[in-house]
Amino acid sequence: MAIIETSGLSRRFKDVIAVDDLTMAVESGEVLGFLGPNGAGKTTTIRMLAGIIRPTGGEAVVAGHRIDRDVEKLHEVIGMLTETPGLYGRLSARRNLEYFAGFYPIDDVSTRVEKYLKLMGLWERRDDRAGTFSKGMKQRLALARALMHEPKVLFLDEPTSGLDPEAASEVRQLIRRMQEEGCTVFLSTHNLAEAEMLCNRIAVIQTRLLALDTAESLRRRFFRRKVIVELQSPDPNILAVVKGLPFVQEARKEGSRLSVELMDSERNRPELVRAIVEAGGKVVTVSEEQYTLEQVYLRLMNEEKISDAQAHS
Amino acid sequence: MTLRRIRNILRKEWGLLFTDPNSALLVTLLPFAVVGQFILYFWLAFRFGSEGMLGSSIFQTALEKLLQTIPEAAALPASEQLLVLLLNQFQFILLLIPVMIGIGIAAFSIVDEKLTGSLEALLATPVRTWELLLGKTLTGAIPAVLMTWISAGFFLLVISLLGWGNLSGLVLTPSWFLSLFLLTPAVAILSFMLGVIGSSRAKDSKGAQNIALIVVFPILALIGIQVTGIIWFTTLRTLVLALVIIAVDIIALRAAVHLFRRESIAIQWR
Ligand SMILES: Nc1ncnc2c1ncn2[C@@H]1O[C@H](COP(=O)(O)OP(=O)(O)O)[C@@H](O)[C@H]1O
Ligand SMILES: [Mg+2]
């Protein structure tokens, strides 16, 4: 069952279109990666879905509430981790949480706050001012704040950006834990590896939605790894042989290098090498190349342009 | 729920207010500075300027109106009548205290949260806009009103120390009490509301203060109007004035809620 549904959701700021015609659905209990470079419209989308800013077009329903109508009810069932932690530096960790807890229908605030401070490993520092915390601790405190009313949907805006690897991995573990508890997580990130690690499905956005699929099928479509076979000398016949193999999707020759895309990189590689050797090719090295996120974007953007052009002709 | 949320806001804001030396000093010392300064001016005027002032037609009109409202003052020597006239201005001078505290605190309250990003997180909670605004307003208005009352006591103490205690009966008019207990809270709320509106619209706290400064002028004007005898604020007129400001308060809260569009304050756009 979809817990987030958007239809034609758009937002413009004066002459800048930040989000254009976003139509998608997120299933309950899913961790959705919202992947895009800086300025792609991730924060704007999250702000709209969290009822903080209004869309200029389209609509969305989150956990049964229209984002532009039932804002108060919506806010009871969502949690949001903003791009900057936005804590009160002069208040203690505990007071920060107590203050926010005071806006939700939570019966026993201090027990709840204790539970989440412990969960985030901040209990020992509960009475220290949030301003004295490290970046990672601030982020965990902000995460506690977003979680402590036990929302159905959690919006996380680049939760690991600016954190050192260790702090980032702690935050990721916490996100996994949220998912185990059945929370739907809408995770914005510009980190492809992170999205792959945590998410059931990934939406790639660049103002418009470019793709939405599981990491696996996106990889098959866009992030497919290429095998690079370095030959001792250029040999035109070999390219033809490689192209004829059933598991090869695409092959190109650049001098003495062959760049080959396989259906299944791991499994097909030995067979590819054997076929080349049998055809008389002298293999120097075999290596693997991955598309970077930028290449993926370029590719997606190009497809977009092509389909636009087709639509207009 | 609303009450709980507003109490929650007050508790947090006061926690922050009194751990910030600047704001704490503003709330505690400024009222005494205002009262002390005006008493000093009036003392100087009384000692050195009363003859000149008595001769001027401006003050003559004001004195006539004073004697109409407070006939007992007619028995006093002319220079003391003038002193009563001046001391009667304190009902309005005291209004400067809630205004200045309001501008000082409210103007920062929202801009600060906007700059640190806590406002965005706050607006993702179920808090209603008007609850947030009212909470922020009361944060400043309550201490401002209390400090105004304390300052009124301080004023009475100082005039008795100066040997003018016999005049206090002529200063503590019904209008004075109306002003203190009705007008002061109404003005406090109004100036905080404007401070909050200002700070929700402004990009930084300076801009917010400028917007809020607008309330100071009418109050100075009020003093000017009365001391020059254009209008004398009788009990009835003070009551009407207070009711008008209460009405403006209600309009201001509605305007604030309207102006305080969530997105214009949530997003810090550089
Ligand atoms: N408040 C705003 N006013 C004007 N333009 C904005 C505002 N917020 C975002 N934008 C613009 O919208 C686009 C998307 O921004 P944003 O949603 O912050 O992207 P992301 O979070 O993916 O980096 C950018 O071009 C940005 O300049
Ligand atoms: Mg962003």
Side-chain angles (χ1 to χ4, degrees):
Chain A
M1 194 196 70
I3 195 163
I4 302 178
E5 263 189 289
T6 73
S7 137
L9 196 67
S10 310
R11 172 72 208 211
R12 59 162 64 234
F13 295 100
K14 299 211 177 84
D15 47 355
V16 179
I17 299 175
V19 177
D20 188 20
D21 197 19
L22 179 68
T23 300
M24 62 188 278
V26 181
E27 300 302 309
S28 180
E30 179 174 33
V31 177
L32 181 96
F34 204 59
L35 183 69
N38 280 335
K42 302 185 294 296
T43 299
T44 304
T45 304
I46 287 185
R47 282 177 172 155
M48 286 192 286
L49 293 179
I52 290 175
I53 65 176
R54 280 170 172 270
T56 47
E59 56 188 57
V61 176
V62 175
H65 303 290
R66 280 274 305 256
I67 56 162
D68 50 352
R69 294 212 190 126
D70 307 335
V71 178
E72 202 184 323
K73 285 267 174 293
L74 171 72
H75 286 163
E76 279 180 13
V77 294
I78 62 157
M80 174 169 182
L81 179 75
T82 48
E83 216 165 357
T84 50
L87 301 163
Y88 300 105
R90 287 195 288 122
L91 294 182
S92 69
R94 198 209 312 238
R95 280 294 297 136
N96 264 285
L97 294 191
E98 282 172 355
Y99 179 52
F100 275 79
F103 296 114
Y104 295 97
I106 295 176
D107 289 330
D108 187 350
V109 167
S110 57
T111 310
R112 188 68 69 86
V113 166
E114 180 178 339
K115 175 181 167 188
Y116 280 89
L117 281 172
K118 283 183 173 159
L119 181 71
M120 297 294 151
L122 293 169
W123 181 243
E124 306 300 314
R125 300 284 307 268
R126 61 190 176 276
D127 291 320
D128 292 351
R129 288 181 167 200
T132 64
F133 284 7
S134 71
K135 263 189 177 172
M137 290 165 74
K138 280 183 184 154
Q139 193 69 322
R140 278 182 285 148
L141 184 57
L143 202 53
R145 185 180 63 188
L147 280 173
M148 106 195 119
H149 57 290
E150 305 184 334
K152 289 187 193 148
V153 180
L154 186 60
F155 293 100
L156 304 176
D157 198 353
E158 307 208 18
T160 60
S161 85
L163 299 187
D164 62 51
E166 196 186 339
S169 112
E170 279 168 7
V171 168
R172 286 189 197 114
Q173 254 156 37
L174 290 167
I175 296 170
R176 270 195 209 103
R177 196 152 159 180
M178 295 308 103
Q179 185 190 23
E180 281 159 19
E181 298 195 354
C183 188
T184 307
V185 182
F186 191 99
L187 171 97
S188 111
T189 177
H190 59 248
N191 183 334
L192 176 60
E194 173 169 290
E196 276 198 272
M197 233 182 288
L198 294 172
C199 304
N200 305 92
R201 289 190 306 156
I202 298 175
V204 185
I205 173 172
Q206 171 69 276
T207 308
R208 308 172 99 194
L209 183 66
L210 301 183
L212 171 59
D213 217 328
T214 61
E216 209 184 339
S217 37
L218 279 181
R219 175 170 288 297
R220 230 179 287 128
R221 251 174 86 195
F222 304 110
F223 317 147
R224 212 166 25 208
R225 289 175 287 193
K226 284 189 285 190
V227 176
I228 307 292
V229 183
E230 185 87 48
L231 299 174
Q232 208 170 39
S233 54
D235 184 341
N237 297 331
I238 297 208
L239 183 65
V241 171
V242 168
K243 276 193 165 159
L245 293 170
F247 48 80
V248 167
Q249 299 204 309
E250 209 188 301
R252 258 178 301 134
K253 190 163 92 65
E254 297 145 3
S256 57
R257 279 162 54 114
L258 285 177
S259 149
V260 188
E261 277 180 17
L262 300 170
M263 305 269 245
D264 183 333
S265 167
E266 318 286 84
R267 230 182 291 151
N268 303 147
R269 223 178 313 165
E271 297 174 49
L272 171 72
V273 174
R274 196 180 56 207
I276 294 173
V277 172
E278 279 173 0
K282 295 201 173 82
V283 176
V284 181
T285 59
V286 179
S287 59
E288 196 178 56
E289 189 181 83
Q290 273 195 20
Y291 284 111
T292 63
L293 188 55
E294 282 67 35
Q295 288 169 309
V296 174
Y297 288 129
L298 280 180
R299 196 153 165 174
L300 283 166
M301 294 300 283
N302 282 338
E303 284 190 6
E304 169 104 330
K305 269 190 213 128
I306 292 165
S307 67
D308 266 3
Q310 281 167 351
H312 286 117
S313 61
Chain B
M1 196 66 214
T2 291
L3 211 64
R4 186 184 152 202
R5 287 178 187 160
I6 289 179
R7 245 186 293 136
N8 187 33
I9 296 172
L10 290 179
R11 188 174 161 217
K12 171 245 167 189
E13 296 289 337
W14 285 338
L16 284 177
L17 181 67
F18 291 106
T19 53
D20 172 30
N22 286 334
S23 318
L25 281 179
L26 179 77
V27 175
T28 51
L29 287 188
L30 181 102
F32 295 105
V34 170
V35 171
Q37 204 173 21
F38 276 94
I39 290 186
L40 178 67
Y41 294 156
F42 291 173
W43 181 79
L44 289 173
F46 174 65
R47 276 297 302 273
F48 305 110
S50 55
E51 274 175 27
M53 287 165 80
L54 282 170
S56 118
S57 60
I58 299 176
F59 290 102
Q60 283 304 327
T61 4
L63 275 177
E64 274 164 31
K65 293 197 173 164
L66 172 78
L67 293 182
Q68 280 167 20
T69 349
I70 316 172
E72 305 93 294
L76 295 169
S79 67
E80 291 203 1
Q81 288 179 9
L82 185 70
L83 188 60
V84 171
L85 172 68
L86 293 178
L87 294 180
N88 260 292
Q89 303 318 308
F90 257 89
Q91 60 171 315
F92 294 141
I93 289 167
L94 288 173
L95 292 179
L96 290 174
I97 293 168
V99 171
M100 287 161 99
I101 294 178
I103 294 169
I105 297 172
F108 287 102
S109 69
I110 295 216
V111 168
D112 254 13
E113 293 215 22
K114 187 157 140 182
L115 294 178
T116 58
S118 51
L119 198 57
E120 190 181 352
L122 200 54
L123 292 177
T125 73
V127 72
R128 299 191 189 100
T129 308
W130 70 267
E131 290 170 340
L132 190 61
L133 284 176
L134 191 60
K136 292 256 181 197
T137 303
L138 292 178
T139 303
I142 291 172
V145 168
L146 289 178
M147 283 314 294
T148 309
W149 293 345
I150 292 172
S151 307
F154 175 67
F155 162 74
L156 293 176
L157 179 74
V158 173
I159 62 171
S160 73
L161 289 179
L162 286 172
W164 301 336
N166 61 319
L167 300 181
S168 55
L170 301 178
V171 175
L172 297 177
T173 57
S175 163
W176 206 78
F177 286 106
L178 264 181
S179 177
L180 212 53
F181 295 109
L182 206 57
L183 201 50
T184 297
V187 166
I189 290 178
L190 181 62
S191 45
F192 278 90
M193 206 85 79
L194 289 183
V196 168
I197 294 175
S199 65
S200 61
R201 304 295 288 171
K203 285 205 172 58
D204 56 36
S205 50
K206 281 217 189 72
Q209 285 188 327
N210 288 342
I211 298 177
L213 216 53
I214 296 168
V215 250
V216 173
F217 295 114
I219 287 180
L220 292 175
L222 220 52
I223 299 170
I225 287 173
Q226 177 158 280
V227 84
T228 54
I230 297 172
I231 300 174
W232 187 267
F233 283 89
T234 58
T235 312
L236 184 64
R237 285 182 181 155
T238 310
L239 181 64
V240 170
L241 180 67
L243 293 178
V244 167
I245 295 191
I246 289 171
V248 175
D249 277 343
I250 295 166
I251 296 169
L253 179 60
R254 306 191 82 179
V257 170
H258 180 73
L259 286 173
F260 191 88
R261 291 200 324 272
R262 286 190 168 232
E263 56 187 75
S264 68
I265 51 163
I267 307 174
Q268 177 53 34
W269 190 243
R270 303 147 288 262

